[in-house]
Amino acid sequence: MKQSGILSINSSGRYQGSLTRLVSEKLVDELQKKSVGLAVTERDLAEGIPFVNEQWIGANFTDSEQRDETQKEALALSDNLVSELQNAEHIIIGSPIYNFSVPAVLKAWVDMVARARVTFQYTENGPEGLLKDKKAYLVMASGGVPIGSDMDIASIYLKRVLGFMGIIDVTVIDATKIDVSADRVLPA
Ligand SMILES: Cc1cc2nc3c(=O)[nH]c(=O)nc-3n(C[C@H](O)[C@H](O)[C@H](O)COP(=O)(O)O)c2cc1C
């Protein structure tokens, strides 16, 4: 499958003064400067995302060939979100720490994309992630929890769930430490 773009996911509930949004945007620019022509897909979770429910779970556990129209409809957004991931080479996730964890909208996104037989599968040797050859950047911000410390269970969680889906190349960026007037987000 051809994968060449950037997927930029934001989850901060605010727009004014959002560090994760500001730094994610700078990172998109930086990656585009490095590889001219990279297409960008934006997914703003603050605009809303549904939770998994009975219909979704029933449809997801029905074999894809057996799904009726209602079940296909129940999975339509989830399918779209998975395609965005499959098509991206670079995945930027902007995540503030909210009450020790990730924003609820970001957890809802994880529930929409962690799909058995689509983004991961169970084999004789245990679980296997099906999203290959991708690079993820976690643009994190907090009001006090040190990013990357043991207290930062948000980054730990995101790394775990991305790894479960096969995305093991993950860089954590502390947005609170980035000088946004400078050009560089990524370390030299
Ligand atoms: C609802 C809410 C919960 C928060 N919970 C925490 C928290 O548990 N720990 C922490 O260090 N900061 C917490 N913060 C502070 C944010 O992580 C911090 O303001 C961050 O910069 C927000 O990201 P943003 O600038 O992209 O909006 C919280 C902020 C909000 C709005």
Side-chain angles (χ1 to χ4, degrees):
M1 180 177 296
K2 190 175 172 292
Q3 47 176 47
S4 57
I6 300 171
L7 172 62
S8 177
I9 300 161
N10 273 296
S11 64
S12 172
R14 65 177 177 168
Y15 293 83
Q16 286 287 323
S18 165
L19 291 172
T20 54
R21 287 180 186 276
L22 193 63
V23 172
S24 292
E25 208 179 305
K26 284 191 77 76
L27 181 54
V28 168
D29 288 347
E30 194 169 325
L31 291 173
Q32 281 189 308
K33 273 184 203 141
K34 270 190 173 173
S35 308
V36 176
L38 279 182
V40 185
T41 302
E42 309 254 6
R43 177 57 67 176
D44 188 350
L45 301 176
E47 287 174 359
I49 181 156
F51 296 145
V52 295
N53 59 15
E54 182 129 33
Q55 284 70 31
W56 190 97
I57 294 167
N60 188 39
F61 286 97
T62 302
D63 201 68
S64 57
E65 281 90 53
Q66 308 296 320
R67 284 178 199 139
D68 62 25
E69 286 310 310
T70 312
Q71 289 177 315
K72 285 180 190 162
E73 182 56 32
L75 290 178
L77 173 67
S78 170
D79 288 343
N80 245 347
L81 296 172
V82 168
S83 295
E84 287 175 356
L85 268 179
Q86 288 169 333
N87 293 334
E89 185 184 347
H90 302 273
I91 297 147
I92 302 171
I93 301 179
S95 175
I97 292 184
Y98 280 179
N99 301 311
F100 298 96
S101 186
V102 298
V105 289
L106 186 52
K107 174 60 166 66
W109 174 84
V110 168
D111 290 344
M112 288 278 143
V113 297
R115 298 255 309 262
R117 301 171 305 282
V118 181
T119 53
F120 68 89
Q121 66 186 3
Y122 289 107
T123 70
E124 281 173 3
N125 304 320
E128 181 195 4
L130 297 175
L131 298 173
K132 310 274 187 200
D133 304 323
K134 296 178 189 299
K135 179 146 186 49
Y137 310 84
L138 303 179
V139 178
M140 309 295 298
S142 76
V145 166
I147 302 300
S149 72
D150 287 353
M151 274 175 73
D152 172 15
I153 52 178
S155 300
I156 294 169
Y157 164 71
L158 288 170
K159 276 197 274 188
R160 175 65 59 90
V161 81
L162 289 172
F164 186 69
M165 295 189 289
I167 305 171
I168 49 174
D169 184 349
V170 182
T171 302
V172 178
I173 296 163
D174 181 350
T176 66
K177 298 227 165 73
I178 299 291
D179 172 5
V180 285
S181 63
D183 277 346
R184 189 175 277 284
V185 173
L186 293 171

